[in-house]
Amino acid sequence: MKVLITGITGFVGSHLADYCLSKGAEVFGIKRWRSRTENIDHIIEKIHLLEGDIRDATSTSEVLGKVRPDYIFHLAAQSFVPTSWKAPAETLTTNIIGELNIFEAMRELGLSARIQIAGSSEEYGMVYENEVPITENNPLRPLSPYGVSKVTQDLLGYQYNQSYGMNIIRTRAFNHEGPKRGEVFVSSNFAKQIVEIEKGLKKPVLKVGNLEAKRDFTDVRDVVRAYWLVLEKGEPGEVYNIASGKAIKIKELLDMLLKMTDVKIKVEQDPARMRPSDVPILLGDSSKLRERTGWKPEISFEKTLKDTLDYWRERV
Ligand code: A2R
Ligand code: GDD
């Protein structure tokens, strides 16, 4: 079983590579020439890394032709929502054209690999309190260029399945956290600030953005298990939510983290961390995935946050 992971150097890609190795798969990954490999250094001898950039059709086709994988997990993306307002064209190009290059390369090479497309709960965007829990049939009302890019990736996946019968399975993962999470994302950012304060490297003031948003959190290790199950048991052409089914305010996430430290910390809102529009509530219904694959999350959110704090305690 040959598995190709785009975005293998990232947060989710690195956890997914661990999981695929544990399933006995031969793991291939795409990395850009300047990609940092710290997330996968522990398995670097066990995987194959190929240089490539999904924005470039030639490069993408060359990698796919060399690997000829059975499974493709398409994770590579500009993944940070705020950056999508600062660099909208780059976000749309990487996320949409990057995926298009993969699909066209697969057609050109005659590859029938099963491919997972990492969509996002951000596709639902503006959701009203009476529209939760969110099923796959909720309207898509993205509130950021990132959300628009993920809707487009999702619809492109649908269209290529319908037009050419390609084995494309789309996922819409709600927020997922854990060790190795990029330091700009909320749980990782708050955890890192706490550790910097614990070590006396920062004044005891923790900067935050919008604490009122509600999000549905799952551990990244549960999410990569869902990605694997989706390719093993999912129906091509279909889309599956991946969610815990519980939503908490970001304020509650912060309170959980603050309970895990002995230092006294003042919380301060930083206007630069507020978004032009923030998705108010994301609470997912993943019954479709659970019924099809038997998946359910196993790791508590307390453990996810504790592991994230410990990750930073070892690094800061
Ligand atoms: O920045 P790099 O060189 O380490 O690679 C990142 C990769 N990536 C690309 N790979 C090839 N060609 C590109 N043009 C390109 N642009 C970005 O995507 C990195 O390996 C990965 C993104 O990792 P993270 O930012 O840590 O994202 P995360 O949380 O792992 O998200 C995975 C997927 C994304 O599609 C999100 O939109 C979705 O889950 O939520
Ligand atoms: N990053 C960040 N930093 N977010 C903050 C902060 C802060 O200081 N304070 C409050 N927040 C709020 C954001 O406004 C948002 O409502 C929530 O915390 C989560 O923000 P992020 O962790 O940046 O994640 P995201 O929800 O925007 O996007 C992540 O999840 C998506 C799935 O729903 C990313 O991983 C996306 O790639 C992914 O698709």
XYZ file of all heavy atoms in Angstrom, residues 25 51 53 78 80 84 94 98 120 123 125 149 163 166 170 172 177 201 203 227-228 240 245 274-275 281 283:
223
model
N 1.800 0.961 5.929
C 1.858 1.554 4.580
C 3.258 2.086 4.276
O 4.027 2.416 5.180
C 0.846 2.691 4.485
N 10.661 16.291 -3.634
C 10.527 17.741 -3.727
C 9.410 18.100 -4.697
O 9.307 17.513 -5.783
C 11.850 18.349 -4.210
C 11.799 19.866 -4.169
C 13.089 20.501 -4.667
O 14.176 19.980 -4.373
O 12.973 21.519 -5.361
N 6.003 21.309 -5.524
C 5.175 22.444 -5.122
C 3.860 22.294 -5.872
O 3.855 22.256 -7.118
C 5.878 23.766 -5.504
C 5.148 24.970 -4.927
O 3.900 25.005 -4.980
O 5.826 25.876 -4.419
N -2.609 26.642 2.294
C -2.417 27.808 3.147
C -3.548 27.659 4.164
O -4.718 27.864 3.837
C -2.542 29.096 2.315
C -2.078 30.356 3.040
C -2.847 30.653 4.333
O -2.434 30.237 5.434
N -3.944 31.350 4.219
N -4.066 28.996 7.430
C -4.363 29.925 8.527
C -5.361 30.978 8.053
O -5.078 31.757 7.132
C -3.059 30.566 9.016
C -3.210 31.387 10.272
C -3.964 30.933 11.345
C -2.584 32.622 10.387
C -4.100 31.688 12.505
C -2.704 33.388 11.545
C -3.466 32.910 12.610
N -5.423 34.547 5.157
C -6.191 34.561 3.900
C -6.756 35.945 3.587
O -7.118 36.215 2.446
C -7.294 33.502 3.921
O -8.401 33.886 4.697
N -2.857 28.515 -3.951
C -2.342 27.277 -3.350
C -3.470 26.258 -3.177
O -3.343 25.082 -3.555
C -1.709 27.572 -1.968
O -0.646 28.502 -2.162
C -1.185 26.313 -1.309
N -3.700 24.389 -6.652
C -2.906 23.243 -6.189
C -3.689 21.942 -6.321
O -3.176 20.927 -6.805
N -13.011 21.768 5.311
C -12.983 22.393 6.643
C -14.385 22.819 7.080
O -15.222 23.189 6.250
C -12.098 23.630 6.561
O -12.275 24.459 7.674
N -15.989 26.054 5.856
C -16.854 26.148 4.665
C -18.280 26.549 5.057
O -18.970 27.212 4.299
C -16.908 24.800 3.947
C -15.594 24.391 3.330
C -15.659 23.009 2.721
O -16.621 22.726 1.970
O -14.769 22.192 2.998
N -19.123 28.480 7.576
C -19.058 29.921 7.819
C -20.171 30.446 8.700
O -20.270 30.105 9.873
N -11.862 29.300 -0.367
C -10.935 28.377 -1.037
C -11.289 26.930 -0.718
O -11.181 26.047 -1.558
C -9.480 28.668 -0.627
O -9.190 28.150 0.654
N -17.653 14.126 -13.123
C -17.283 14.214 -14.536
C -16.463 13.011 -14.988
O -16.634 12.529 -16.096
C -16.463 15.479 -14.801
O -17.173 16.625 -14.444
N -13.627 9.872 -10.746
C -12.440 9.727 -9.886
C -12.858 9.406 -8.442
O -13.915 9.820 -7.985
C -11.602 11.021 -9.938
C -10.908 11.171 -11.293
S -10.155 12.800 -11.557
C -8.930 12.850 -10.282
N -14.402 13.655 0.070
C -14.165 14.950 0.728
C -14.461 14.855 2.225
O -15.409 14.177 2.618
C -15.070 16.008 0.094
C -14.762 16.238 -1.389
C -15.922 16.911 -2.096
N -17.048 16.027 -2.255
C -18.327 16.416 -2.199
N -18.640 17.670 -1.975
N -19.307 15.539 -2.370
N -14.845 17.306 5.864
C -14.924 18.655 6.460
C -14.622 18.500 7.941
O -15.506 18.143 8.727
C -16.316 19.270 6.253
C -16.620 19.550 4.779
C -17.979 20.211 4.582
N -18.320 20.228 3.170
C -19.552 20.103 2.682
N -20.592 19.962 3.526
N -19.772 20.132 1.387
N -6.732 19.852 17.247
C -5.596 20.426 17.985
C -4.697 19.309 18.471
O -5.031 18.136 18.369
C -6.121 21.222 19.196
C -7.288 22.159 18.911
C -6.976 23.301 17.953
O -5.899 23.910 18.074
O -7.813 23.600 17.078
N 10.039 34.291 30.397
C 10.495 34.908 29.142
C 9.540 35.994 28.653
O 9.795 36.667 27.672
C 10.620 33.832 28.053
C 11.617 32.714 28.353
C 11.477 31.582 27.353
C 13.043 33.267 28.330
N 6.202 38.848 29.999
C 5.407 39.417 31.103
C 4.148 38.558 31.279
O 3.649 37.990 30.295
C 4.976 40.843 30.730
C 6.083 41.865 30.937
C 5.504 43.281 30.964
C 4.819 43.660 29.676
N 4.319 44.983 29.530
N -9.349 10.206 8.729
C -8.919 10.360 7.336
C -8.600 8.984 6.733
O -8.961 8.692 5.590
C -7.680 11.271 7.244
C -7.953 12.750 7.452
C -6.907 13.656 7.648
C -9.245 13.264 7.441
C -7.137 15.014 7.835
C -9.482 14.624 7.627
C -8.427 15.490 7.826
O -8.661 16.837 8.004
N -7.910 8.170 7.505
C -7.572 6.825 7.015
C -8.859 6.021 6.756
O -9.023 5.408 5.698
C -6.675 6.104 8.040
C -6.336 4.718 7.618
C -7.085 3.575 7.838
C -5.196 4.294 6.848
N -6.473 2.485 7.268
C -5.313 2.902 6.656
C -4.092 4.967 6.317
C -4.367 2.160 5.948
C -3.147 4.219 5.618
C -3.293 2.839 5.441
N -17.862 13.994 4.180
C -18.074 13.579 5.574
C -17.567 14.642 6.550
O -16.403 15.046 6.480
C -17.324 12.268 5.860
C -17.786 11.105 5.010
C -17.131 10.803 3.805
C -18.872 10.322 5.396
C -17.557 9.738 3.013
C -19.298 9.258 4.602
C -18.638 8.974 3.416
O -19.061 7.926 2.626
N -19.016 16.788 18.142
C -20.433 16.937 18.487
C -20.646 17.820 19.717
O -21.768 17.947 20.213
N -8.227 40.312 16.161
C -9.642 40.227 15.776
C -9.731 40.132 14.251
O -8.975 40.777 13.543
C -10.413 41.457 16.275
C -10.330 41.668 17.780
S -11.027 40.290 18.730
C -12.778 40.619 18.556
N -10.658 39.330 13.745
C -10.780 39.104 12.294
C -11.845 40.021 11.690
O -12.794 40.394 12.385
C -11.155 37.636 12.050
C -10.156 36.716 12.695
C -10.503 35.237 12.576
N -9.406 34.496 13.219
C -9.222 33.194 13.150
N -10.069 32.442 12.476
N -8.202 32.626 13.752
N -20.243 30.248 15.415
C -20.402 28.921 16.045
C -20.205 27.806 15.032
O -20.754 27.852 13.930
C -21.787 28.777 16.746
C -21.922 27.347 17.336
C -22.946 29.097 15.822
C -23.057 27.168 18.316
N -20.490 23.687 15.328
C -20.808 22.499 16.136
C -21.263 21.433 15.145
O -22.289 21.600 14.478
C -21.911 22.849 17.146
C -22.661 21.707 17.819
C -21.721 20.745 18.524
C -23.653 22.279 18.837
